[in-house]
Amino acid sequence: MRINGSYDMKTSTTALFAAAIALVPLGAAAQDSDDPIVIPIHNWSSQIVMSNVVGQIFESMGNSVEYVTTDSQAVYESVRLGDVTLELEVWEGAFGASFRAAMEKGGIVDVGDHDAVTREDWWYPMWTKEACPGLPSWEALNDCAALFATAETGDKGRYLDGPVDWLKHGQERVEALGMDFVVVNAGSAAALWAEIGAAEADKRPVVVFNWTPNFAEAVWPGEFVEFPEWVDGCDKDPAVGPNPDALYDCGNPAKGYLKKAAWDGMAEKWPAAYAVLEKISFTNPQIAEMAKLVDVDEMEPEEAAEVWLEENQDVWSGWLN
Amino acid sequence: MAANPPVIAARNVWKIFGKAPEAYLRSLPAGRSFDEIRADGYIAGVRDVSITVGRGEMLVIMGLSGSGKSTLVRCFSRLHDITGGTIEVDGTDIGSLSERALIDLRRSKMGMVFQSFGLLPHRTVLDNVAFPLEMRGQDRHARRERALEVIRLVGLEGREDYFPRELSGGQQQRVGIARSLAIEPDIWFLDEPFSALDPLIRREMQNEFLRLQKMLHKTIVFITHDFDEALRLADRIAIMKDGAIEQCATPDQIVLNPATEYVRKFTEDIDKARVVHAGTLADPALRAEGAAVDADASVHDLARLLIQDQRSTIPVERAGRPVGAIRRDEALGILVGAR
Amino acid sequence: MAHLPAQTTQTARRRGALALTGAAGALMLLHYAGLLPAALHRLPPERVPDLAVWLDALFNFVKDDLGLLALTRWLTEPLQWMLDVTANLLFGKRRWPGIGPIPWTAIAAAATVLGYHLGGWKLAALAGGTFAWTALVGQWDIAMQTMSVLVIAAPAAFAIGLLLGIAAWKYAWIDRALKPILSVLQTLPFFTYLLPAVIFFKVGPTAGAVATTIYAIPPMILMTTLGLQKVSPEIVEAGQMSGCTRLQLLRHVYLPAARTEILVGINQVIMLCLAMVVLTAFIGMPGLGAKLLAMMGSFKLGRSFEIGVTIVLLAVTLDRMSKAWVARQPMHHERGTPFWRRHFALLAGLGLFVLFCIVAQFVDLAAEIGRRQSLSMGKEIDTAIKAFLNIGWVKATTGFLRAFLNVQVLIPFRNCLLWIPTPAFILLIAAFAWWLGGRRQAVIAGLFFALVALSGWWDRSVITLYSVISAVALAMLIGLPVAVLAARSARWSNRVLLICDTAQTFPSFVYLIPAIMLFGITDIAVIFSILIFAMVPLVRYTIEGLRTVPPEVMEAADMSGATRWQKLVKVQLPLALPTMAVGFNQAIMFAFFMVIIAAFIGTQDLGQELQRTLAGTDLGKNFVLGICVSLMALTFDLTILNWAAARKRQLGLG
């Protein structure tokens, strides 16, 4: 084993490779197939880097890996067909529905959760707080509703919700809590960023849908609005929550899952890789770090993955045992 | 001429354009005119044409645009399939030929020159001329040799590597002529070859053409709408109108005895003295004394003699043998345009 | 002679259109008075047939029972193999033959020489500059990933299009069968292709290549057929008299003589392939598009802008090179020209290529420009864009537009359209078709829109149509004056056309972000992004129409003492109108295309629902929505093109 102090990229990958070979348990069950493991890549940086990190781990185990860029919703159909082998970020909020529908059709398996939790809810960038100091309480937000008015919404404030297909029930919440807000759906994550970006210039107050972990935290510091805390059944039983007659009268669960999913043939075709996949689990800070390497430090994803693996050997080496 | 079997023999040829021409032709009552057929929704390109072309003869088909002359020549080469009648080439009914046999016939016996030249724009002069040879699968070396030979023949040496676009109209048509001669065809079709050219160039090309024909002795079907050109070149002229042949005869006869009013109109402004030859005017039954004139001399050529000579009849001989005599006043009448 | 019947058909048409409009008006009056039964205002939901389920079943039947999936998957294998080869050569994917990647300097040098060969120093500079820019800005790898798919997709589209074009020219029934299929393919929204492409051809470069190919085929078919039809009969007869067999005739006579049109077809294929670079990233196309989406996902405007510029540069380079190839006439060499002079470009290109391949072995920079050496200005552009959007008058203008146009015009217009009862709406559309195209067109239009009503997505369809109509109307308001002014001089025409080219090839996704930053997530942002796209054909065809008015006609107008304005109104516009109609039609088609993409901004139309079906769990619904878009687009397409063709015949221009 050759470990030296040089941080030259090529040497360190070699070292990584050597380390990995040494760590792979001898006599691991069946042999993995020679066919490439196909990892899908979507359009946000943490997922791209995470995919590269896992891909490089698989490669260090002797597997061949290929990346394919695809739409984050359409990918579940490809996983079912086995064209794509796995999916590393299944967000409860954004993709839970697609994932469950694919599970029902068959061909895809749940490979467990990351340690990371996800939160998706109303959010505002920090400058908003200057105009509306009572934040993050939702009542305070409602009192400043006029601050968020646009030409189209009249006196009411505008809340920019996520795309309809994410099923965030913003409209229902506004009605259940009697808020002076009009809900407008953005068509994509990029549309949300554009709105925040446009507001940033003159520090206009905005309240938009957002989630964590993602890159926006690093670019625009901000906070989630504190709604009445989530109670199980808030979406099914009107009696639950502050408004006895309405559903969705609480905030979203602050701890949504972040899952891994795989094609149901993976366990058989690449048993060793599958065993590792089952163990893989990232935390919120780790995911944020991956995103930062690309979004802030402007590295290319593969490079960022190499750096991350180099710096976090203790995290991933455990998964190989 | 009659002793030799004709090279091309067309009998009762019809070419009708329209929806169901064969069925229409079967039901067609005799003597239906061009306009009546058109009223039925059909166009009669060729109407009941019977004509022969002898070996080594130059037949000029003359007519205005839309008269069916181009259609007829395309029937001879079976670029058009005819609707009724038969066309024989060297005794073979070309309508019965298989596609393969037809292609072989064209590859070995026929050449054709087109009004707008029909050159392939992406090929050089050499490759255009060699095209028919290439099609019949001759090897590169042989076809190059032959192509250069015909290019020299039409006076284009040095231009072998030019593209058609880089040539003048007259030069382009020389390429067309060279191409049509490349396979040494027996039968040569020329579809208004000089119509697209300037008058001066046209004249030059006609001379060039006559020079070639003198060397090659092809059987020629030549299409033109220019009566002067027809008179200049033809052994026989067939005048077409509305798909049918109005008259088919030698230039002298057409000028002297137009068969219909339509033909006569063409001959009106013609200087007949330049067209009519002593041989045609000569009465074989007549004998005369004194110095003879050549049968191939035109009345115009004999003008001085006709005016000065006092004989009322003048003997005519062809190649030293007497063929009869002309009446002087008749010839003078032609000369001064009284007839 | 033809004047009289034309006059009478026109009155008949006007009468028919008026009758339908009257009926629609009556229905609206009833509705206004509150007398119209609800079932006549909108089709009651319980009456909506379950088209989605049927289509889903049909799709599954074709896919599994007829074995289409097995066939396409079998075809995917060789395609994958070819893509792997190009991937290895261009960006070094670890696949056979394992010799790539070719150094960027070698490719750039070869492209420069090719540019010189085709169009002299100017084109050489453009080609070399484009490739150098791509490398220097740090996008070489992703650009080559894109090219690795395009170099397979474009030739495939060319070959298939050529064969189909020949078949359609040869056999009338193939032509008749192909035409409607092509029309539907051209109007079907992209989101409807996406899932079938993934299912049949496996997510990744294969699906990307197939989607690109299918998208690029239609103009190739069209141009091939057109070219073959235009071959002069004399050339064909010359070929026949030269003893050509049928195959020889096609190979040596027809195809070379149709060269110009076929090359124009190739040019179109290339442009359409590049137009698909970003959209196909949704189904696994690697490279520039995927990177662009990732950059937009993390709000890196500058970097996405740079990728957009690369795509435009590549498109313009390939466009100019292929056009130069079209215009290029063969030139002979003087006898005795040595071999190296005859093939100077080929030898120079090869020589430089080999030279740089060797140099790259020793000089790293010649082989690859890494991130650190790249000259990307992403951050600076970010700042510049944000600064621009923050300028006082820019904000004032957009604020005014937002307050006035959106609140006073667009939203009331949308509500008005939504208020109209379904049957009245269908009658109005039919009246429009009757007016332009006669009774047959009216029946078709009515039928198509009735189908849309049956689909159960009426309101969303109306909102889609509303965006299209508003955008095209605005595009005309802005585009027509620009085009008329530009058409007055050749120089300005060329400048404006260059802007058109750029706007058309610049990936539409890049517009979306500035559109939102300018106007927020509102209808204006949606319409603004459609507008840019829809204005291009309007301007292009108007300029072409005006500039191709025969000069003798213009001279005659001058000699009649017409003023400039009179000439424009009385002479140029009437003669240019059929051509302009084609541009208008294309503007509508582009708008239908773009309105679906605008779902990424945030809309409430069919696009939004289509986006929702992308998870693939509801294919039937996806098809129903796609067909709704296609039916609406086809109605306009058929009506307007029909009118333009008839009008051209009337004017003797066609």
Side-chain angles (χ1 to χ4, degrees):
Chain A
M1 209 146 83
R2 194 183 107 212
I3 296 179
N4 54 31
S6 155
Y7 278 85
D8 171 52
M9 205 58 71
K10 271 184 186 154
T11 337
S12 69
T13 348
T14 324
L16 189 79
F17 191 73
I21 287 174
L23 288 168
V24 169
L26 288 169
Q31 200 70 45
D32 274 6
S33 162
D34 288 338
D35 290 346
I37 297 174
V38 181
I39 302 180
I41 285 183
H42 308 312
N43 58 356
W44 63 93
S45 21
S46 69
Q47 196 271 351
I48 301 177
V49 180
M50 188 192 293
S51 299
N52 273 283
V53 164
V54 173
Q56 289 181 17
I57 291 175
F58 286 161
E59 274 177 351
S60 71
M61 294 163 54
N63 282 306
S64 71
V65 172
E66 255 169 37
Y67 305 96
V68 51
T69 49
T70 123
D71 180 68
S72 54
Q73 296 283 358
V75 71
Y76 296 98
E77 189 68 21
S78 302
V79 175
R80 271 183 3 88
L81 290 167
D83 294 336
V84 163
T85 316
L86 52 90
E87 165 63 57
L88 286 167
E89 285 194 14
V90 185
W91 289 63
E92 174 164 18
F95 312 117
S98 304
F99 174 63
R100 278 194 300 276
M103 287 274 279
E104 272 166 36
K105 280 171 118 178
I108 190 169
V109 288
D110 181 346
V111 199
D113 299 359
H114 291 280
D115 283 339
V117 290
T118 56
R119 181 170 183 193
E120 302 161 289
D121 220 324
W122 295 39
W123 177 96
Y124 55 87
M126 266 341 235
W127 64 79
T128 305
K129 211 170 177 176
E130 287 160 26
C132 184
L135 287 171
S137 130
W138 71 272
E139 285 107 334
L141 176 73
N142 202 28
D143 291 340
C144 328
L147 280 178
F148 301 95
T150 64
E152 298 82 17
T153 59
D155 297 337
K156 294 190 169 189
R158 185 202 53 174
Y159 164 61
L160 197 59
D161 207 350
V164 270
D165 47 327
W166 296 359
L167 303 172
K168 301 286 51 118
H169 305 289
Q171 188 60 46
E172 288 88 338
R173 189 183 303 171
V174 164
E175 284 162 18
L177 295 175
M179 297 174 76
D180 289 328
F181 273 87
V182 172
V183 176
V184 174
N185 288 103
S188 56
L192 288 171
W193 311 145
E195 274 280 2
I196 304 174
E200 184 187 14
D202 47 357
K203 304 284 185 249
R204 185 158 42 82
V206 281
V207 55
V208 301
F209 177 79
N210 201 348
W211 60 93
T212 176
N214 82 27
F215 88 100
E217 298 163 282
V219 183
W220 302 292
E223 287 172 347
F224 285 99
V225 176
E226 297 299 339
F227 280 96
E229 202 172 320
W230 168 263
V231 189
D232 271 337
C234 195
D235 54 345
K236 296 196 182 72
D237 182 3
V240 176
N243 183 340
D245 303 318
L247 297 173
Y248 301 110
D249 47 349
C250 9
N252 286 334
K255 291 187 163 101
Y257 67 65
L258 183 65
K259 265 188 193 311
K260 301 157 288 175
W263 172 50
D264 68 359
M266 183 186 177
E268 201 176 313
K269 197 166 176 186
W270 297 278
Y274 187 79
V276 172
L277 179 65
E278 281 183 314
K279 289 187 203 147
I280 284 176
S281 166
F282 295 102
T283 63
N284 288 42
Q286 286 164 355
I287 295 175
E289 169 70 10
M290 292 179 194
K292 184 190 141 274
L293 290 175
V294 168
D295 289 327
V296 180
D297 302 346
E298 304 248 315
M299 295 188 185
E300 291 299 314
E302 22 328 341
E303 206 179 353
E306 281 166 18
V307 170
W308 190 91
L309 282 167
E310 180 69 25
E311 287 171 0
N312 295 279
Q313 270 201 34
D314 49 326
V315 175
W316 56 270
S317 54
W319 299 334
L320 294 177
N321 286 323
Chain B
M1 232 178 276
N4 285 333
V7 178
I8 299 174
R11 269 183 292 277
N12 306 102
V13 171
W14 283 85
K15 175 66 192 175
I16 296 177
F17 298 99
K19 259 194 183 138
E22 277 88 5
Y24 178 73
L25 181 63
R26 273 195 299 277
S27 69
L28 194 70
R32 204 159 174 81
S33 77
F34 182 82
D35 289 330
E36 285 164 337
I37 292 175
R38 188 161 67 186
D40 294 337
Y42 289 87
I43 298 290
V46 175
R47 272 194 306 145
D48 201 15
V49 165
S50 299
I51 197 170
T52 57
V53 188
R55 189 161 306 283
E57 183 189 19
M58 176 158 8
L59 173 72
V60 173
I61 302 178
M62 212 290 301
L64 301 184
S65 63
S67 61
K69 54 190 190 305
S70 289
T71 311
L72 182 60
V73 79
R74 280 164 175 72
C75 291
F76 290 162
S77 56
R78 214 181 134 191
L79 284 171
H80 289 337
D81 279 312
I82 55 179
T83 319
T86 55
I87 292 176
E88 283 177 9
V89 170
D90 280 341
T92 321
D93 177 5
I94 58 167
S96 67
L97 290 179
S98 68
E99 186 175 327
R100 190 69 241 177
L102 178 67
I103 287 175
D104 282 341
L105 177 73
R106 287 177 183 157
R107 283 179 178 178
S108 57
K109 276 197 180 151
M110 291 176 171
M112 185 155 173
V113 181
F114 297 89
Q115 180 176 3
S116 332
F117 324 135
L119 299 181
L120 299 167
H122 57 289
R123 285 172 168 252
T124 60
V125 168
L126 185 75
D127 288 340
N128 258 296
V129 173
F131 186 66
L133 307 172
E134 186 183 333
M135 289 304 103
R136 70 181 182 193
Q138 235 154 307
D139 75 84
R140 180 181 290 272
H141 186 72
R143 65 182 193 239
R144 187 187 158 83
E145 286 299 301
R146 170 63 190 160
L148 287 174
E149 197 177 310
V150 253
I151 288 171
R152 245 191 324 275
L153 190 67
V154 298
L156 275 181
E157 61 249 86
R159 299 285 160 94
E160 298 85 0
D161 294 328
Y162 281 53
F163 286 92
R165 185 179 50 85
E166 300 173 301
L167 299 175
S168 71
Q171 289 171 325
Q172 290 193 39
Q173 194 57 296
R174 284 169 196 261
V175 179
I177 289 171
R179 175 177 64 188
S180 68
L181 292 176
I183 58 154
E184 299 182 71
D186 296 336
I187 308 168
W188 202 12
F189 298 111
L190 297 103
D191 181 15
E192 304 208 31
F194 311 137
S195 301
L197 306 177
D198 292 340
L200 279 179
I201 308 282
R202 193 182 310 167
R203 189 90 192 162
E204 182 192 321
M205 291 293 285
Q206 285 165 357
N207 291 334
E208 184 76 19
F209 173 68
L210 286 173
R211 174 183 73 86
L212 279 174
Q213 172 60 358
K214 217 167 250 164
M215 287 161 54
L216 302 170
H217 303 295
K218 305 281 184 203
T219 304
I220 292 173
V221 179
F222 188 108
I223 311 285
T224 181
H225 65 252
D226 178 351
F227 194 54
D228 284 322
E229 186 172 71
L231 293 174
R232 216 172 147 205
L233 303 178
D235 289 330
R236 267 192 313 152
I237 299 176
I239 294 181
M240 282 186 83
K241 178 182 179 246
D242 291 346
I245 290 181
E246 294 270 305
Q247 185 176 12
C248 179
T250 60
D252 309 50
Q253 279 160 352
I254 285 190
V255 169
L256 289 175
N257 310 303
T260 65
E261 183 58 23
Y262 183 76
V263 177
R264 198 189 60 75
K265 275 207 185 125
F266 279 110
T267 62
E268 260 172 9
D269 299 331
I270 294 299
D271 179 3
K272 297 184 180 69
R274 287 180 188 274
V275 178
V276 177
H277 296 95
T280 318
L281 276 182
D283 184 344
L286 221 57
R287 284 284 174 269
E289 297 301 311
V293 295
D294 186 26
D296 285 337
S298 68
V299 175
H300 183 266
D301 295 335
L302 302 174
R304 186 178 296 271
L305 178 119
L306 285 171
I307 294 166
Q308 291 173 349
D309 204 318
Q310 295 302 315
R311 288 174 290 179
S312 65
T313 56
I314 301 171
V316 179
E317 44 178 58
R318 174 172 279 135
R321 297 224 328 260
V323 291
I326 50 173
R327 295 185 178 83
R328 186 167 149 258
D329 50 345
E330 189 184 8
L332 276 171
I334 290 170
L335 191 62
V336 298
R339 224 197 99 170
Chain C
M1 199 167 73
H3 195 63
L4 200 64
Q7 204 73 42
T8 49
T9 50
Q10 238 157 38
T11 9
R13 279 179 186 182
R14 209 165 296 152
R15 217 169 282 151
L18 272 178
L20 291 185
T21 317
L27 278 171
M28 285 193 273
L29 271 178
L30 276 177
H31 182 52
Y32 184 72
L35 297 174
L36 195 74
L40 274 181
H41 180 238
R42 287 286 184 270
L43 188 71
E46 66 272 13
R47 293 280 179 78
V48 172
D50 214 343
L51 296 171
V53 175
W54 303 342
L55 283 176
D56 207 23
L58 180 69
F59 178 78
N60 282 327
F61 174 74
V62 173
K63 181 182 84 164
D64 300 326
D65 299 311
L66 292 186
L68 189 60
L69 184 67
L71 175 72
T72 54
R73 284 298 170 128
W74 180 74
L75 289 174
T76 307
E77 295 292 317
L79 179 62
Q80 178 74 59
W81 183 81
M82 285 190 285
L83 288 168
D84 282 341
V85 172
T86 56
N88 171 265
L89 292 178
L90 289 176
F91 65 95
K93 187 176 177 184
R94 265 166 285 164
R95 282 290 192 283
W96 189 86
I99 50 174
I102 300 168
W104 74 271
T105 39
I107 292 181
T112 311
V113 175
L114 182 64
Y116 177 75
H117 177 62
L118 289 172
W121 284 114
K122 251 177 148 176
L123 208 46
L126 180 66
T130 297
F131 283 96
W133 148 277
T134 311
L136 292 178
V137 88
Q139 293 168 1
W140 186 261
D141 255 19
I142 51 175
M144 287 305 116
Q145 286 173 15
T146 297
M147 292 309 272
S148 76
V149 179
L150 294 192
V151 295
I152 299 292
F158 163 73
I160 299 173
L162 188 73
L163 287 179
L164 285 177
I166 293 173
W169 159 75
K170 194 108 197 171
Y171 306 101
W173 66 269
I174 292 186
D175 192 39
R176 277 197 299 276
L178 266 179
K179 282 238 166 80
I181 295 178
L182 292 182
S183 311
V184 172
L185 279 184
Q186 271 175 313
T187 49
L188 217 53
F190 181 73
F191 286 164
T192 304
Y193 282 112
L194 219 137
L195 281 166
V198 166
I199 291 171
F200 286 123
F201 294 98
K202 193 164 107 180
V203 66
T206 45
V210 170
T212 309
T213 305
I214 290 179
Y215 192 71
I217 285 177
M220 190 65 223
I221 298 181
L222 235 62
M223 291 314 294
T224 305
T225 313
L226 185 74
L228 291 173
Q229 279 164 350
K230 272 173 64 181
V231 173
S232 121
E234 279 206 344
I235 293 190
V236 178
E237 285 172 344
Q240 285 172 327
M241 291 308 292
S242 300
C244 287
T245 61
R246 285 170 199 225
L247 210 62
Q248 283 175 324
L249 202 61
L250 184 67
R251 160 84 183 73
H252 294 290
V253 178
Y254 272 111
L255 291 181
R259 175 180 177 273
T260 305
E261 282 78 11
I262 290 174
L263 288 181
V264 171
I266 293 181
N267 173 267
Q268 294 290 303
V269 165
I270 294 174
M271 296 321 278
L272 286 178
C273 281
L274 278 159
M276 289 300 277
V277 161
V278 178
L279 284 176
T280 42
F282 284 101
I283 49 175
M285 172 92 160
L288 293 165
K291 193 76 181 174
L292 179 79
L293 292 184
M295 286 300 143
M296 283 181 48
S298 48
F299 200 58
K300 288 193 177 145
L301 292 181
R303 295 280 298 276
S304 9
F305 184 78
E306 283 177 346
I307 296 175
V309 171
T310 305
I311 295 177
V312 170
L313 280 176
L314 279 175
V316 170
T317 304
L318 291 174
D319 177 60
R320 296 293 184 272
M321 294 223 289
S322 54
K323 275 189 184 147
W325 188 25
V326 177
R328 201 179 148 75
Q329 295 285 354
M331 287 287 285
H332 75 277
H333 289 277
E334 283 308 320
R335 195 136 278 253
T337 317
F339 178 83
W340 68 269
R341 268 202 93 90
R342 281 167 192 261
H343 303 278
F344 176 73
L346 181 71
L347 291 177
L350 269 179
L352 283 176
F353 186 83
V354 172
L355 175 72
F356 277 110
C357 280
I358 296 168
V359 167
Q361 299 297 315
F362 304 102
V363 184
D364 276 348
L365 212 57
E368 192 174 10
I369 291 193
R371 185 174 61 86
R372 281 177 199 81
Q373 298 96 18
S374 85
L375 303 174
S376 167
M377 308 248 292
K379 285 220 163 119
E380 291 76 1
I381 298 173
D382 266 358
T383 323
I385 293 178
K386 284 179 190 160
F388 172 77
L389 295 176
N390 208 26
I391 300 172
W393 60 266
V394 175
K395 278 167 73 173
T397 319
T398 57
F400 164 76
L401 279 176
R402 192 167 168 178
F404 171 72
L405 204 57
N406 207 22
V407 180
Q408 306 290 333
V409 181
L410 291 175
I411 294 176
F413 177 50
R414 181 177 73 178
N415 293 341
C416 162
L417 286 182
L418 284 171
W419 174 85
I420 299 175
T422 307
F425 205 107
I426 297 175
L427 285 173
L428 284 176
I429 297 285
F432 168 75
W434 199 323
W435 176 53
L436 279 184
R439 197 166 45 202
R440 220 176 85 89
Q441 289 301 325
V443 172
I444 294 175
L447 193 72
F448 280 9
F449 268 76
L451 280 173
V452 173
L454 264 187
S455 75
W457 295 103
W458 181 260
D459 280 0
R460 283 181 181 270
S461 304
V462 170
I463 298 178
T464 308
L465 199 56
Y466 142 80
S467 305
V468 168
I469 294 174
S470 314
V472 172
L474 279 175
M476 284 171 72
L477 267 181
I478 305 169
L480 291 187
V482 170
V484 168
L485 284 180
R488 277 165 46 175
S489 82
R491 206 157 49 117
W492 275 102
S493 297
N494 284 336
R495 282 183 196 165
V496 172
L497 287 177
L498 181 68
I499 298 175
C500 283
D501 283 347
T502 313
Q504 197 171 4
T505 40
F506 202 73
S508 39
F509 271 81
V510 183
Y511 300 138
L512 299 185
I513 300 274
I516 296 172
M517 294 184 73
L518 284 169
F519 301 110
I521 296 176
T522 60
D523 287 1
I524 305 196
V526 172
I527 286 167
F528 174 79
S529 60
I530 303 175
L531 176 88
I532 298 180
F533 220 52
M535 212 149 71
V536 171
L538 268 177
V539 172
R540 190 194 298 277
Y541 280 84
T542 306
I543 292 182
E544 191 193 307
L546 290 175
R547 292 199 65 82
T548 49
V549 171
E552 346 31 299
V553 176
M554 294 300 289
E555 283 162 7
D558 279 334
M559 292 312 290
S560 310
T563 62
R564 218 176 221 194
W565 175 253
Q566 281 173 324
K567 265 196 303 186
L568 179 67
V569 175
K570 305 271 179 196
V571 180
Q572 286 177 295
L573 282 180
L575 283 176
L577 207 55
T579 310
M580 286 165 67
V582 174
F584 176 69
N585 182 56
Q586 238 185 56
I588 294 186
M589 296 302 116
F590 278 22
F592 269 109
F593 178 83
M594 193 61 199
V595 73
I596 302 302
I597 308 290
F600 285 100
I601 294 180
T603 52
Q604 281 125 45
D605 60 4
L606 292 169
Q608 191 190 36
E609 279 300 316
L610 269 169
Q611 204 185 20
R612 209 196 283 239
T613 57
L614 281 189
T617 44
D618 212 348
L619 267 175
K621 182 174 148 195
N622 180 300
F623 293 148
V624 171
L625 295 164
I627 290 168
C628 279
V629 178
S630 176
L631 285 173
M632 291 196 293
L634 275 178
T635 306
F636 287 98
D637 188 47
L638 290 174
T639 310
I640 299 173
L641 286 187
N642 210 312
W643 178 84
R647 185 81 193 156
K648 265 199 177 155
R649 272 198 303 277
Q650 232 173 34
L651 294 175
L653 294 171

